[in-house]
Amino acid sequence: MQPNNVFNLRRMQFYLQKHITDHYRFYSMSMLAIFGIMTVLGVLMILLARDPFNRLSDLVPFYFIGLFFGGMLFTSRSFNELGSKEKGVDFIMLPASQFEKFVTLFLVSTIGFLAFYNLSCYVSFKIIQSVQLAALDRKIEMNYDFFDNPKEKVYFYYVYVVLQAAFLLGATYYHKYSFIKTILSVFVFAFLVWCVNAFLVTCIFGFQHEFWKRSVPFFMVNKLEGGPISWHTTVYLIPEWLRHFYDFALKFLIAPILWTIAYFRLKDQEI
């Protein structure tokens, strides 16, 4: 390993240590809150409501709600130092390049959060399972595989990665109330996409005797046909090659593009 690379790794390690030192209270409280909410809610449902969890799939909604909400909130805090002039100057003047700072916070908000969150969910599940077995003598059936049966479940994680990248980008633009502002930006962007799609679909199918009932923007249109007494729906899908491109973009393109934009936004940051 080249001496310069060693020095870069040491600078990243120094920045990581400083970042954790400055934010350990937030991280500790967040970790305890995530673990506590998952565990306490499950235990209370068992002990007070006497409502057992028959299958692992009963707990899955809690897992994904916590994953998305916690992950987005965690990521939105990545560059909050820039919201204060004093902290922002300290952040920019630290002896580490913007790339090293970006990579460090990227690893903390992605790998770091996912590792802790999944470990917390596992421990929480074991506690809930033990409490239910002791209180109600009921085991939880392991009927859910998070990555298989069907394999489409993995798309939850692809969507999570894309949203995490969007919130990381939002953290470079909004240094105060980043979580709320990024949520609003995502909704505004989604609304604009829907408006464009609605305009195009309306131009194609029109308003009168035959009209579109609902659609998935730039993917599917349900056209309502017939009348005035009987109606039937015809589903129109985009070509298969375009679906494959969407799939490829979701898996491999969108998140890296957002990460790259976030890095250059951070690189050009001024106080």
Side-chain angles (χ1 to χ4, degrees):
M1 183 176 292
Q2 298 296 325
N4 189 45
N5 292 335
V6 174
F7 180 65
N8 290 341
L9 290 175
R10 288 175 179 172
R11 288 192 303 189
M12 290 179 63
Q13 182 181 7
F14 165 75
Y15 177 68
L16 177 61
Q17 291 173 345
K18 184 181 186 306
H19 178 78
I20 293 176
T21 301
D22 292 342
H23 297 84
Y24 76 93
R25 290 183 179 177
F26 170 76
Y27 289 153
S28 299
M29 292 177 62
S30 299
M31 292 174 182
L32 289 174
I34 292 172
F35 175 74
I37 290 173
M38 288 189 297
T39 306
V40 170
L41 282 178
V43 170
L44 288 178
M45 289 180 67
I46 295 170
L47 297 181
L48 299 182
R50 312 298 288 181
D51 185 16
F53 296 100
N54 298 315
R55 297 172 296 275
L56 180 60
S57 56
D58 296 334
L59 291 167
V60 168
F62 295 100
Y63 170 83
F64 283 114
I65 290 173
L67 175 66
F68 279 83
F69 180 80
M72 302 310 108
L73 179 61
F74 200 83
T75 301
S76 67
R77 297 272 303 183
S78 295
F79 305 105
N80 68 325
E81 295 98 335
L82 297 173
S84 167
K85 187 173 182 179
E86 293 77 12
K87 292 181 179 180
V89 171
D90 181 58
F91 174 84
I92 291 177
M93 297 301 294
L94 281 172
S97 69
Q98 297 294 70
F99 179 74
E100 291 161 356
K101 296 171 188 174
F102 179 81
V103 170
T104 300
L105 293 177
F106 169 77
L107 293 175
V108 169
S109 62
T110 53
I111 298 176
F113 173 79
L114 286 175
F116 168 78
Y117 181 76
N118 285 285
L119 178 62
S120 296
C121 287
Y122 177 78
V123 175
S124 178
F125 168 74
K126 288 297 182 182
I127 293 174
I128 292 172
Q129 187 180 47
S130 299
V131 170
Q132 178 166 302
L133 190 61
L136 304 178
D137 194 28
R138 295 279 297 274
K139 289 185 177 180
I140 299 177
E141 179 187 349
M142 308 298 290
N143 70 324
Y144 192 91
D145 190 326
F146 284 88
F147 295 100
D148 205 353
N149 299 324
K151 292 183 178 180
E152 285 76 14
K153 294 174 184 176
V154 76
Y155 281 91
F156 281 109
Y157 296 97
Y158 289 129
V159 173
Y160 168 80
V161 171
V162 169
L163 284 177
Q164 189 274 339
F167 274 76
L168 189 65
L169 175 61
T172 64
Y173 278 93
Y174 311 122
H175 306 140
K176 292 183 178 179
Y177 310 109
S178 174
F179 181 71
I180 296 175
K181 291 179 179 178
T182 306
I183 288 178
L184 291 176
S185 298
V186 170
F187 274 108
V188 169
F189 176 77
F191 177 72
L192 292 176
V193 170
W194 181 86
C195 288
V196 173
N197 175 79
F199 174 76
L200 293 176
V201 171
T202 302
C203 290
I204 295 172
F205 294 103
F207 286 103
Q208 299 183 357
H209 300 291
E210 298 178 350
F211 60 93
W212 60 279
K213 183 179 180 182
R214 57 183 178 271
S215 68
V216 177
F218 302 102
F219 185 81
M220 179 194 73
V221 174
N222 283 0
K223 183 183 178 185
L224 198 60
E225 301 174 310
I229 299 175
S230 63
W231 297 87
H232 67 275
T233 301
T234 302
V235 178
Y236 295 89
L237 289 173
I238 60 175
E240 186 175 359
W241 66 268
L242 191 53
R243 278 177 275 165
H244 288 317
F245 174 76
Y246 282 1
D247 184 68
F248 179 82
L250 177 65
K251 292 179 180 178
F252 305 112
L253 291 182
I254 300 177
I257 289 173
L258 293 176
W259 290 329
T260 302
I261 297 173
Y263 165 65
F264 282 105
R265 167 64 182 171
L266 179 65
K267 187 178 179 181
D268 295 335
Q269 186 66 55
E270 296 179 356
I271 299 297

